Amino acid sequence: MLGVIEKASVLVEALPYIKFFSGKTVVIKYGGNAMLNEELKNSVMQDIVLMKFVGINPVVIHGGGPEITALMKRLGKQPQFVDGLRVTDAETVEIAEMVLSGKLSKEIVSLIQRHGGKAVGLSGKDGGLFRAEKHYHRVEGPMGPERKDIGFVGDIVEVNPELLENLIRASYIPVISSIAYGAGGETYNINADTAAGKLAAALKADKLVLLTDVEGIFDDYQDKTTLISTLKVADIPGKIQKGGIDGGMVPKVEACVTALEGGVTRTHIIDGRIPHSLLLEVFTQEGVGTMVVKD
Amino acid sequence: MLGVIEKASVLVEALPYIKFFSGKTVVIKYGGNAMLNEELKNSVMQDIVLMKFVGINPVVIHGGGPEITALMKRLGKQPQFVDGLRVTDAETVEIAEMVLSGKLSKEIVSLIQRHGGKAVGLSGKDGGLFRAEKHYHRVEGPMGPERKDIGFVGDIVEVNPELLENLIRASYIPVISSIAYGAGGETYNINADTAAGKLAAALKADKLVLLTDVEGIFDDYQDKTTLISTLKVADIPGKIQKGGIDGGMVPKVEACVTALEGGVTRTHIIDGRIPHSLLLEVFTQEGVGTMVVKD
Amino acid sequence: MLGVIEKASVLVEALPYIKFFSGKTVVIKYGGNAMLNEELKNSVMQDIVLMKFVGINPVVIHGGGPEITALMKRLGKQPQFVDGLRVTDAETVEIAEMVLSGKLSKEIVSLIQRHGGKAVGLSGKDGGLFRAEKHYHRVEGPMGPERKDIGFVGDIVEVNPELLENLIRASYIPVISSIAYGAGGETYNINADTAAGKLAAALKADKLVLLTDVEGIFDDYQDKTTLISTLKVADIPGKIQKGGIDGGMVPKVEACVTALEGGVTRTHIIDGRIPHSLLLEVFTQEGVGTMVVKD
Amino acid sequence: MLGVIEKASVLVEALPYIKFFSGKTVVIKYGGNAMLNEELKNSVMQDIVLMKFVGINPVVIHGGGPEITALMKRLGKQPQFVDGLRVTDAETVEIAEMVLSGKLSKEIVSLIQRHGGKAVGLSGKDGGLFRAEKHYHRVEGPMGPERKDIGFVGDIVEVNPELLENLIRASYIPVISSIAYGAGGETYNINADTAAGKLAAALKADKLVLLTDVEGIFDDYQDKTTLISTLKVADIPGKIQKGGIDGGMVPKVEACVTALEGGVTRTHIIDGRIPHSLLLEVFTQEGVGTMVVKD
Amino acid sequence: MLGVIEKASVLVEALPYIKFFSGKTVVIKYGGNAMLNEELKNSVMQDIVLMKFVGINPVVIHGGGPEITALMKRLGKQPQFVDGLRVTDAETVEIAEMVLSGKLSKEIVSLIQRHGGKAVGLSGKDGGLFRAEKHYHRVEGPMGPERKDIGFVGDIVEVNPELLENLIRASYIPVISSIAYGAGGETYNINADTAAGKLAAALKADKLVLLTDVEGIFDDYQDKTTLISTLKVADIPGKIQKGGIDGGMVPKVEACVTALEGGVTRTHIIDGRIPHSLLLEVFTQEGVGTMVVKD
Amino acid sequence: MLGVIEKASVLVEALPYIKFFSGKTVVIKYGGNAMLNEELKNSVMQDIVLMKFVGINPVVIHGGGPEITALMKRLGKQPQFVDGLRVTDAETVEIAEMVLSGKLSKEIVSLIQRHGGKAVGLSGKDGGLFRAEKHYHRVEGPMGPERKDIGFVGDIVEVNPELLENLIRASYIPVISSIAYGAGGETYNINADTAAGKLAAALKADKLVLLTDVEGIFDDYQDKTTLISTLKVADIPGKIQKGGIDGGMVPKVEACVTALEGGVTRTHIIDGRIPHSLLLEVFTQEGVGTMVVKD
């Protein structure tokens, strides 16, 4: 049990942050363990609703790879990946859309509402939020670099945040699945980290927070004392080259860079496995991961 | 080619309707052939966008039975029905939600947007739109009437139209799948006609229009000259008893009654197979089906 | 009797125009046969009210030469004209003002109101709408060109549309007689076509429509197949010189040019003898006369 | 030349009245000598503009009998009166309308604007301001009282002040001629005093001021020391019976009663021959005529 | 140093309170040690500014007895008291006003502003906030109870909170000295606790908090385990009679009752000697004194 | 007793001024005899309230030297002056603040309110109105000019008029004592004339009026016919050098210059001994002192 002095000190620390973030927009990329573990799920949803309580406008964007894979298998389709990107034929993109927009988004909406918030599940088609074009993946071929067609995987080329701005003004928490539409009416699956970066930039959000399954970025992943609390954009290329940032961390770091270039003030890669890591990140001086900043 | 006098006469007829309906809400139950035939699909979407153009607020609610059945079969599940109601286990309601909210709603949104409108696909979970309770179906058992559990089929017990009102004010066309949430967080599948009636009542809509695959209600279905252009609520029970209204027409007529009791002025069961039947219904004196009125 | 397909086609054609012109201002110069024939009078007034119904802001400006002449004669004054301009002594301008502002404007107001609109009859004195200076007419004299004084005929030198903007916002249809005030308190009679052009420019109207007693402008007036549907400003001087535009058509064409130079998008000289020619012009692709455009 | 102490005393007296009347509506019946004498005309117009300057909303309504008579004579028509009411055939009402709405209203508008105000000349047709029905005059016939048809003389049966309220909000001074429309589109001439009373009531004006050519109402018109400064409604019938109020004064006093019954706080019959009598009435304790009050 | 779990738990506890109190008004009676000790002074001011930060509207009202006494003595006046009430002659009330309104209020304003808030120092004269009448004190005289005149000590008979409401809307923190005006222009000194109760009632505050130099109200003041955390209004008279509430605590408890009767939801007598006791009271479940409630 | 013609002439003269100044801000430096004589006090307060009545926003700023001196003496302190500036130690500034903010401001507030206005007494600390820095006085020392420390006498370095703007919008008359705060929390006494100039500039006032005990500035003070009615800024340095402006008049003239440089249109040094000199200055063409203008 905390004493009154300790409690008072947390309040004195937190209240200026609450003032500062009031009325501001925070984009949260939701994924990983925090989306699978029941207790973490509830702690994240409670944090989002509490943030809304004190005037912050959270916007949630989520992935859902494991669930897509599961339904594909039930329908007898074997998932295939190229450099971590899912090869996505017409049937696969339909499956992805049904899983992301028809199941996961609506599930998150339900959870937020059970914690006392008001939420709306949307995809990038609604209100023309995300317009995409086909993504051609670069691979090394026998004769040098080649563009490889991996199907209905898209790059976002236009974000129209008008619908979100309307819903935010009306006090809803938007929950977005990373599906986009193409100019010809086709559907694209989008990497959720990448979409989060684009979205934060288009909303002129104050913060982008990506929930991950690691403590953050390390100088030396073997040595847990080397967590980098602040990473500058200028230092990222070097880190990628040296392998300090690799695999699934690359699109996350790139999303931070996209957001920062679009005017977002601060971006954070935090450990979604710590309960209430979102609250701690926003309302305390505590570092719970790596902050990526412009300079 | 129409002459100028004929054109002028249509305008002189239509403009007062355009004035009258400006700013009013029309709930459209979209289903049947108009949802399957490509040309009709486009004609309906164009009508909806044109209605919006002249200040009407259309709200679309749709079904999707055939598509649900198709996915169930692909997943090796055999659909079962009791008196036309789908027996809906946990897996089936998840399939229904994915098909309705994840596929069909978003497809309609895309089509509306390609015709120049702004649309948002929602389910009854979003913004707490539809709260439902389990529906117990009454069947005749060996020992008299029995309540039969047919799974996650729900009755709407509360409609919260706040989200729709916000979106309408912001000029969006809401597209709604008839999925609801339960107090314990469970998901329910709802008959789309029934949901349309409840929705029209909650929105205090001016009109409810149900697109069907018949010309309307007849006194004698064998004799095509007996189309009833205006049907009074008081005459419905007799017609049902005598079999003049049966099968899938019963929930449609009941939806009209629900809407009328909730304050909707006029309700219409129209022939969705005629191109632009929506426009004709709203902007001309022409009858394109059966109008159900209070008295 | 039109079939539903034909009716639907007119609606599909008209609704985008209705959207497009909603909230926009259309200045209508009312005169000629449409002001004398009872049936045409009613058809014009109905058109104006229907335009208002669907959100357009019509502004009516009218002439009344024949009525002025009639009262002059009853008062024993012989009308005199120089190149079509009425020689206007103090008594004549008082007669003109009484006829235009005291009789014709109020009669139009009454008619619009009997068709369901709200109208206000104004002259260029009200709210300081039109300030004029004396017009000196150029004639060929024995010793070359001379300025001839033809009395209280004025040129508009300032338009103050504030009053009209107020009335339009409050949903009134302004009906304006082409009378102006001078800096010294004197009254001027103004050519109504010329005033219409100035007014459309000052209101930043979207359209100026002049109702005339001809089908439009022809390449060869003998050959009715040579109607010019679109006339460019640049081609006007040539046509005037060659006599293709002459007499009362000159001030009409000049009014179009004034309006276009003032920012009006489109100007039209249409045949006021066709019933509902206004509606057809505004809401269909049909050409009912000659459109004068910048280039 | 006034000393500073005297000037200060007028200001100290006037400023509370200025505060009190700010934002309030004063209906002024303009007529008599003040409408004929050039100097008085200018002093009235200056007063009206000064009242507007300090936030009062003056509304002017005027008569014009002598001018109507003059034009009738020029057109060869002999004016006829029954008990002071003009017998008004179709031609006469057209003449009256042209003179009142087409000449006098516009002249007053011009004068107000030359003194720095903004004015709009209206008749009872504009915006449906005055709807009238035929007035049947009661005369003593050989067989007792009879209803006599004196033509297009009307009784106001409905006042729609919406247009005036709009113009007042937009800072215009409405100038109204006492012409009304009938349900069948016909035109009626109305007694201007009577119209002023109806108008003040419909506008919920704070004051009605009638400018006349007498000092006010006297107990004994022979004895100029018997001016009644305050007359109660209850005392009026007695005064009329005894002849203390007669002729043209009757409709003036009745207009005051109509206004008071309609909620107007104070009504005044003042001497329009005193320069600036309007200012003195409104801004000083000075009595410049007879005030008629409820009790 | 607190761990992240403890910090998170304080935030999860506090955020719903922050939401709940946002936009609400809290009247704080400031006095006692918290007004004398430099560290406590700063902690109170910081709390007030932090409350403002998160949307609460604090209103401060203060006393200042010791300072008044000090200045009186410096001016050679011997303070006199009757039952704890200061005998207040004309000179004394002038001194009291100068000390309270001219020194202490302005000092608190300065401190709040140095902590980042915006404050305004007011007395009950400003904007007609407190109107008072002479307070006659009841004492036991030789012949029974007597009304004793103790000078310019007043009872508040009218509170006009309009000025405070204006300042609150404009984000200022009002700081009020308990001085009132009389109908004849005279000045009254008011007990600050009593004034706080009246003020909270007039403002329809949500909370009244009185900072005192005790832990709260005890059942048995000898036994520190008997602190009463919630005291019902109905139990107060008994406690006063039995001496459980006496001396300076009586006006404080009465202020709570006044506030509760005026519609204030909760009132609190808290220990101003604990740093940040205000924050703890408002944002945690922790009790830091005695809450007085209606029932 | 004035006749109606004289009264009317004052009104005709005053009403345009009333219109002109409506909504404008007039800063009034209140001091001298007008603050000591009971009758003048009441006449000034009445003027201020009457100005407010007709839409002007008066802002009052006052001095109080004689009262400060009196309290100092009662507390046994001997006032000391250097070149007319009070030497102000810590105790003196506390006395000055209590007298100005705690006594005189509140007394003026009471008087304004008894005349029917709404007033608020403020010091330069409230809402951070006046921030000051220490004023070092330049004197001639034995070795040339020296900076002399005369204690807590300040120069205003920043004016934050936000609070005043709020109060003015809410119809209050601010009454300001010339006390300021320093960056370190210390209190400064400020010359009230100087503060008035700074304040008028910061408020973008339309007028600054300084009430004095002289008729104005003279060319030759011996010859009362040489009153300067308009003084140009450019002519001031010469006048000061020649001694035409000296003593207490110097800071008054400098205040006018500060105000004019800050955008105030007109500044006036008027004779506060004439009753209602404020009204005369604002609402008549009468000169009641010296107007200082830019050029």
Side-chain angles (χ1 to χ4, degrees), chain C residues 33-287:
Chain C
N33 260 306
M35 206 165 159
L36 302 173
N37 173 299
E38 278 306 309
E39 197 191 319
L40 286 174
K41 248 190 215 181
N42 276 291
S43 129
V44 171
M45 295 307 147
Q46 192 181 23
D47 286 7
I48 288 168
V49 171
L50 289 171
M51 284 163 77
K52 190 79 191 178
F53 269 17
V54 293
I56 293 173
N57 302 313
V59 174
V60 180
I61 179 159
H62 66 89
E67 294 255 7
I68 296 167
T69 297
L71 184 58
M72 285 178 75
K73 289 190 175 157
R74 282 184 57 201
L75 287 163
K77 291 185 70 79
Q78 197 48 44
Q80 268 184 288
F81 293 88
V82 172
D83 289 348
L85 294 168
R86 188 186 301 271
V87 178
T88 305
D89 60 14
E91 215 177 22
T92 303
V93 79
E94 192 180 303
I95 291 166
E97 186 176 22
M98 287 197 300
V99 167
L100 295 175
S101 306
K103 190 176 169 213
L104 298 177
S105 278
K106 302 306 182 191
E107 197 179 307
I108 298 167
V109 163
S110 276
L111 267 173
I112 289 176
Q113 292 185 161
R114 294 187 78 190
H115 278 94
K118 301 191 302 178
V120 181
L122 302 168
S123 90
K125 289 181 176 175
D126 295 300
L129 177 60
F130 293 146
R131 187 164 66 76
E133 288 176 0
K134 198 180 182 62
H135 172 84
Y136 288 98
H137 187 59
R138 265 170 239 184
V139 292
E140 278 304 307
M143 322 202 354
E146 286 176 4
R147 280 189 357 157
K148 191 171 163 64
D149 183 341
I150 50 171
F152 293 96
V153 173
D155 291 320
I156 293 175
V157 292
E158 191 187 341
V159 182
N160 176 359
E162 186 196 324
L163 172 60
L164 299 186
E165 287 159 358
N166 261 295
L167 292 170
I168 287 169
R169 260 198 303 280
S171 290
Y172 291 93
I173 299 169
V175 175
I176 300 157
S177 58
S178 54
I179 291 292
Y181 71 100
E186 70 279 20
T187 305
Y188 289 109
N189 193 11
I190 309 284
N191 176 289
D193 292 319
T194 311
K198 293 269 189 181
L199 184 63
L203 284 170
K204 307 275 170 233
D206 287 83
K207 250 189 205 299
L208 166 65
V209 183
L210 298 115
L211 290 175
T212 66
D213 290 346
V214 294
E215 282 116 295
I217 299 170
F218 289 86
D219 251 339
D220 172 358
Y221 279 83
Q222 304 315 105
D223 178 357
K224 289 302 180 190
T225 65
T226 65
L227 180 76
I228 301 170
S229 61
T230 305
L231 176 65
K232 292 188 183 175
V233 165
D235 297 339
I236 293 171
K239 286 225 157 297
I240 292 179
Q241 218 168 7
K242 282 191 284 176
I245 300 170
D246 66 359
M249 191 54 81
V250 173
K252 288 180 204 303
V253 170
E254 284 174 353
C256 291
V257 174
T258 301
L260 291 166
E261 282 170 354
V264 174
T265 317
R266 292 184 169 191
T267 66
H268 303 262
I269 291 166
I270 69 169
D271 189 345
R273 299 166 308 175
I274 301 173
H276 301 296
S277 53
L278 264 172
L279 282 196
L280 291 165
E281 203 296 300
V282 177
F283 296 130
T284 72
Q285 292 153 9
E286 222 68 45

Side-chain angles (χ1 to χ4, degrees), chain E residues 74 106 118-119 121 126-127 162, chain F residues 91 106 118-119 121 126-127 162:
Chain E
R74 283 185 56 201
K106 302 304 183 193
K118 301 191 301 177
D126 294 301
E162 188 196 323
Chain F
E91 215 178 22
K106 303 305 182 191
K118 301 191 301 178
D126 294 300
E162 186 196 324

Side-chain angles (χ1 to χ4, degrees), chain C residues 13-26:
Chain C
E13 180 185 339
L15 294 174
Y17 287 103
I18 290 172
K19 185 199 182 186
F20 180 78
F21 283 110
S22 182
K24 296 194 171 153
T25 296
V26 174

Side-chain angles (χ1 to χ4, degrees), chain A residues 91 106 118-119 121 126-127 162, chain B residues 74 106 118-119 121 126-127 162:
Chain A
E91 215 178 22
K106 301 306 181 190
K118 300 192 301 177
D126 294 301
E162 188 196 323
Chain B
R74 282 183 59 200
K106 301 306 181 191
K118 301 192 301 177
D126 294 301
E162 188 196 324

Side-chain angles (χ1 to χ4, degrees), chain E residues 5-270:
Chain E
I5 294 187
E6 287 77 16
K7 280 195 158 188
S9 75
V10 178
L11 291 172
V12 170
E13 180 186 339
L15 294 175
Y17 287 102
I18 290 172
K19 185 200 181 185
F20 180 78
F21 282 110
S22 182
K24 297 196 170 151
T25 296
V26 174
V27 170
I28 298 149
K29 160 64 205 312
Y30 177 50
N33 260 307
M35 206 164 158
L36 302 173
N37 172 299
E38 279 304 311
E39 196 191 319
L40 286 174
K41 247 189 216 182
N42 276 291
S43 128
V44 170
M45 295 307 146
Q46 192 182 22
D47 286 8
I48 288 169
V49 171
L50 289 171
M51 284 163 77
K52 190 79 191 177
F53 270 16
V54 293
I56 293 173
N57 302 313
V59 174
V60 179
I61 179 159
H62 65 90
E67 293 256 5
I68 297 168
T69 297
L71 184 59
M72 285 178 73
K73 289 190 174 158
R74 283 185 56 201
L75 286 163
K77 291 187 67 81
Q78 196 49 43
Q80 271 184 285
F81 293 88
V82 173
D83 289 348
L85 295 168
R86 188 186 302 269
V87 178
T88 305
D89 59 14
E91 215 178 22
T92 302
V93 80
E94 193 180 302
I95 291 166
E97 186 177 21
M98 288 197 300
V99 166
L100 295 174
S101 307
K103 190 177 169 212
L104 298 178
S105 278
K106 302 304 183 193
E107 196 180 307
I108 297 167
V109 163
S110 277
L111 266 174
I112 289 176
Q113 293 185 160
R114 295 186 77 190
H115 278 93
K118 301 191 301 177
V120 181
L122 302 168
S123 91
K125 289 181 175 175
D126 294 301
L129 177 59
F130 293 146
R131 186 164 65 78
E133 288 176 359
K134 199 179 180 59
H135 172 82
Y136 287 98
H137 189 58
R138 265 170 238 185
V139 291
E140 277 307 306
M143 318 198 6
E146 285 176 4
R147 281 190 354 159
K148 192 169 161 65
D149 183 342
I150 50 171
F152 293 97
V153 173
D155 291 321
I156 292 175
V157 292
E158 191 188 341
V159 181
N160 176 0
E162 188 196 323
L163 172 60
L164 298 186
E165 288 160 358
N166 261 296
L167 292 170
I168 287 169
R169 258 198 304 281
S171 290
Y172 290 93
I173 299 169
V175 174
I176 301 158
S177 59
S178 55
I179 292 292
Y181 70 100
E186 70 279 21
T187 304
Y188 289 109
N189 193 9
I190 310 284
N191 176 289
D193 291 320
T194 310
K198 293 270 189 181
L199 184 63
L203 284 171
K204 307 272 171 239
D206 287 84
K207 251 188 206 297
L208 167 65
V209 183
L210 299 114
L211 290 175
T212 66
D213 289 346
V214 294
E215 282 115 295
I217 299 171
F218 288 85
D219 251 337
D220 173 356
Y221 279 85
Q222 305 314 107
D223 178 356
K224 290 300 182 193
T225 67
T226 66
L227 180 76
I228 301 170
S229 62
T230 305
L231 177 64
K232 292 187 182 175
V233 164
D235 298 338
I236 292 170
K239 286 228 156 296
I240 291 178
Q241 218 168 8
K242 282 192 282 177
I245 300 171
D246 68 358
M249 190 54 82
V250 173
K252 288 181 203 303
V253 169
E254 284 174 352
C256 291
V257 174
T258 301
L260 291 165
E261 282 169 353
V264 175
T265 316
R266 291 185 170 192
T267 66
H268 302 263
I269 292 165
I270 69 169

Side-chain angles (χ1 to χ4, degrees), chain D residues 108-173:
Chain D
I108 298 168
V109 163
S110 276
L111 266 173
I112 289 176
Q113 292 185 161
R114 294 186 78 188
H115 278 92
K118 301 190 301 177
V120 181
L122 300 169
S123 90
K125 290 182 176 175
D126 293 302
L129 177 59
F130 292 147
R131 188 165 64 76
E133 288 176 0
K134 198 179 182 59
H135 171 83
Y136 287 99
H137 188 58
R138 265 171 239 183
V139 292
E140 278 306 306
M143 321 205 351
E146 286 176 5
R147 282 190 351 158
K148 192 169 160 65
D149 183 341
I150 50 170
F152 294 97
V153 173
D155 291 322
I156 291 176
V157 292
E158 192 188 339
V159 182
N160 176 359
E162 188 197 323
L163 171 61
L164 299 185
E165 288 159 359
N166 260 296
L167 292 170
I168 288 168
R169 258 198 305 280
S171 290
Y172 290 92
I173 299 170

